[in-house]
Amino acid sequence: MGKNDFLTPKAIANRIKAKGLQKLRWYCQMCQKQCRDENGFKCHCMSESHQRQMQIFGENSHRIVEGYSEEFESGFLDLMRMSHRFSRVAATVVYNEYINDRHHVHMNSTQWATLTEFIKYLGQTGKCKVEETPKGWFITYSDRDSETMFKEKMKHKRVKADLADEEKQEREIQKQIEKAEQLLTNIVQNGGESNEVVEPSAKVLKLEDGVKVGFSLGTKSSNLGKEKGDGSKSSRLVFDETEEKEKRNGKKVNENGSGRTGKSALEELMKEEEKAKERSNRKDYWLCEGIIVKVMSKALAEKGYYKQKGVVGKVIDKYVGEIEMLETKHVLRVDQEELETVIPQIGGLLRIVNGAYRGSNARLLKVDTEKFCATVQIEKGLYDGRVLKAVEYEDICKLAS
């Protein structure tokens, strides 16, 4: 076996040492060679192959540095997209994962001297969201893929279409309510006389036995009139009685029930509107951005997040939220089943997260602790000023200031 053979103990030891990461200052990017000590790096710099590479570098150094910078940036962002696409993570964590590859592009060959300069560059170009904290720099990947952008556009289109349909339905219901109110005012001005109000009494009169008996008596009396000659008189008596009954019933309806029928029609329209909105807006998911929720996952109790509050920064697939904790500023990804809504103080702002008025901002007026419901007043929008009673705790949530 030769002195420098592949299977000698020294060769095996050298390969084992070469597997691990070495110091960055003893790495030559142009030759892609890692040296284990200063002496080895010095010998490499004096070699003929390195001298040829340095001549090439001297001819167009600016372009070579730009090429290494682009390669380093693309590799770093690819790692962010694959491993930390939807999370806020420390920049040092991503960098340590990136340099685990022995053949990565080293930072000393790029235009950035330190990791801080590179992170600031990512924030300035908008490729990542950068945040400086007492614990160091934190970054969040900004997803700009064409497929993701297309999905976002389609989602916005669907949301706009749903809003347009809902507004159209609300306008139709509003028109019906206005018609009912106008009908009610007309009834009050005319002293309770209206064809629409008298119709129910007419229908009731048609079903009475007296009318049927009157028609039957009329036929009999006409037959008797042929025999006795006084059939016309008996028929007049029958119809006079029915007319008097109709007048008496009409007066009772006009005196007692004219206002009530108008009000009941208006109330029924309002109830139909509420039911229609409830059916269309009641969903099995309620998470939305900008609300404060409480983490109720016992699995996170060991890490100190149980019953802690946080702000929903992003909603993923309707049921999962990225929660930024208020105390630690850590970002967690939690399912909505392990979250709970937070009720603000009296007079505080909240958002209706489910039910008929889903998505509306409101202000808390009153809380009923026995029935686990609240009274809120909507602010802004089409229903500005409307007061909603008996709204369940699960349908409202505190807004982040």
Side-chain angles (χ1 to χ4, degrees):
M1 187 178 291
K3 185 178 180 181
N4 297 321
D5 193 58
F6 183 74
L7 296 176
T8 59
K10 187 176 182 180
I12 294 172
N14 289 339
R15 286 197 299 274
I16 292 172
K17 290 177 184 177
K19 281 184 179 179
L21 292 174
Q22 307 295 324
K23 289 188 177 180
L24 185 60
R25 61 187 177 134
W26 295 333
Y27 182 82
C28 178
Q29 186 67 56
M30 287 296 295
C31 303
Q32 294 184 356
K33 180 174 177 60
Q34 176 71 61
C35 300
R36 288 196 293 273
D37 52 22
E38 190 173 356
N39 186 37
F41 186 69
K42 185 178 179 181
C43 293
H44 169 72
C45 292
M46 293 172 65
S47 65
E48 186 179 352
S49 62
H50 178 74
Q51 295 295 329
R52 285 197 300 268
Q53 292 293 331
M54 293 310 294
Q55 286 179 2
I56 296 171
F57 179 77
E59 291 175 0
N60 197 352
S61 60
H62 183 69
R63 184 167 184 180
I64 292 174
V65 171
E66 280 187 352
Y68 284 139
S69 301
E70 291 176 1
E71 191 175 349
F72 178 83
E73 181 186 344
S74 63
F76 192 91
L77 291 176
D78 287 342
L79 180 63
M80 282 286 296
R81 184 174 65 252
M82 289 185 291
S83 301
H84 309 283
R85 190 165 188 168
F86 302 108
S87 59
R88 174 177 170 269
V89 65
T92 53
V93 173
V94 185
Y95 180 71
N96 289 331
E97 291 179 4
Y98 175 73
I99 64 176
N100 278 336
D101 183 10
R102 184 164 163 259
H103 300 288
H104 70 278
V105 178
H106 289 63
M107 184 169 282
N108 63 352
S109 60
T110 64
Q111 63 185 8
W112 305 288
T114 61
L115 179 62
T116 303
E117 291 182 10
F118 176 64
I119 296 303
K120 288 181 179 178
Y121 162 79
L122 292 179
Q124 290 170 359
T125 54
K127 295 174 182 177
C128 288
K129 295 178 182 177
V130 178
E131 183 182 356
E132 186 179 8
T133 65
K135 294 184 179 181
W137 290 90
F138 282 80
I139 54 177
T140 307
Y141 181 72
S142 298
D143 200 348
R144 291 184 170 185
D145 292 347
S146 58
E147 184 179 354
T148 307
M149 297 292 287
F150 178 74
K151 287 182 179 179
E152 287 292 329
K153 288 182 181 178
M154 294 301 295
K155 182 179 178 181
H156 288 311
K157 281 186 179 179
R158 287 195 297 270
V159 170
K160 287 182 180 178
D162 293 341
L163 289 174
D165 293 340
E166 186 179 350
E167 288 178 1
K168 185 177 179 181
Q169 185 179 6
E170 288 172 356
R171 284 197 297 268
E172 292 294 332
I173 295 172
Q174 195 67 28
K175 286 181 182 178
Q176 294 179 3
I177 293 172
E178 290 175 0
K179 287 182 180 178
E181 289 177 350
Q182 187 177 2
L183 177 63
L184 180 61
T185 54
N186 290 337
I187 292 171
V188 173
Q189 289 175 0
N190 297 331
E193 295 180 1
S194 177
N195 295 329
E196 286 79 4
V197 178
V198 178
E199 279 181 2
S201 62
K203 288 180 181 178
V204 173
L205 288 171
K206 287 179 182 178
L207 296 175
E208 287 184 358
D209 295 336
V211 178
K212 294 179 181 178
V213 173
F215 281 113
S216 61
L217 285 172
T219 53
K220 288 180 180 179
S221 61
S222 61
N223 292 330
L224 290 169
K226 291 178 182 178
E227 297 173 1
K228 297 181 180 180
D230 57 350
S232 59
K233 186 177 179 181
S234 61
S235 63
R236 280 198 208 100
L237 289 172
V238 172
F239 284 108
D240 288 342
E241 289 177 0
T242 56
E243 286 178 1
E244 288 178 1
K245 286 182 180 180
E246 287 179 0
K247 288 180 181 179
R248 285 197 299 270
N249 290 329
K251 285 181 181 179
K252 288 180 181 179
V253 170
N254 291 334
E255 288 175 0
N256 300 326
S258 61
R260 292 178 185 175
T261 52
K263 288 182 180 178
S264 62
L266 182 61
E267 290 174 358
E268 286 178 3
L269 285 172
M270 294 286 286
K271 288 180 181 178
E272 288 178 3
E273 179 191 7
E274 294 286 341
K275 289 179 181 179
K277 288 174 68 62
E278 182 72 20
R279 284 194 299 269
S280 61
N281 291 337
R282 174 67 62 178
K283 309 290 184 183
D284 59 346
Y285 54 90
W286 54 269
L287 278 180
C288 60
E289 297 178 2
I291 60 175
I292 297 176
V293 294
K294 186 184 290 185
V295 178
M296 302 301 293
S297 174
K298 294 184 178 179
L300 299 173
E302 297 179 357
K303 298 182 180 179
Y305 298 123
Y306 183 62
K307 289 190 176 181
Q308 296 298 314
K309 296 178 183 178
V311 181
V312 180
K314 189 176 182 181
V315 180
I316 302 169
D317 296 332
K318 299 180 182 180
Y319 299 93
V320 180
E322 284 190 359
I323 315 300
E324 183 180 355
M325 307 309 294
L326 295 178
E327 293 184 359
T328 61
K329 300 298 181 183
H330 293 168
V331 178
L332 309 177
R333 192 175 293 180
V334 188
D335 191 271
Q336 72 169 11
E337 292 184 357
E338 298 177 337
L339 297 173
E340 190 178 81
T341 58
V342 176
I343 307 301
Q345 295 180 351
I346 302 296
L349 280 174
L350 55 86
R351 178 167 293 168
I352 302 175
V353 295
N354 213 344
Y357 299 91
R358 181 190 184 101
S360 301
N361 292 346
R363 194 171 294 276
L364 185 64
L365 301 180
K366 185 180 177 183
V367 175
D368 190 347
T369 54
E370 294 181 356
K371 297 181 180 179
F372 301 102
C373 60
T375 302
V376 300
Q377 184 176 17
I378 297 177
E379 291 197 346
K380 297 182 181 180
L382 183 62
Y383 302 101
D384 185 15
R386 180 173 290 185
V387 177
L388 308 178
K389 298 180 180 179
V391 183
E392 296 183 359
Y393 286 168
E394 290 80 6
D395 293 345
I396 57 177
C397 192
K398 182 179 179 181
L399 269 175
S401 56

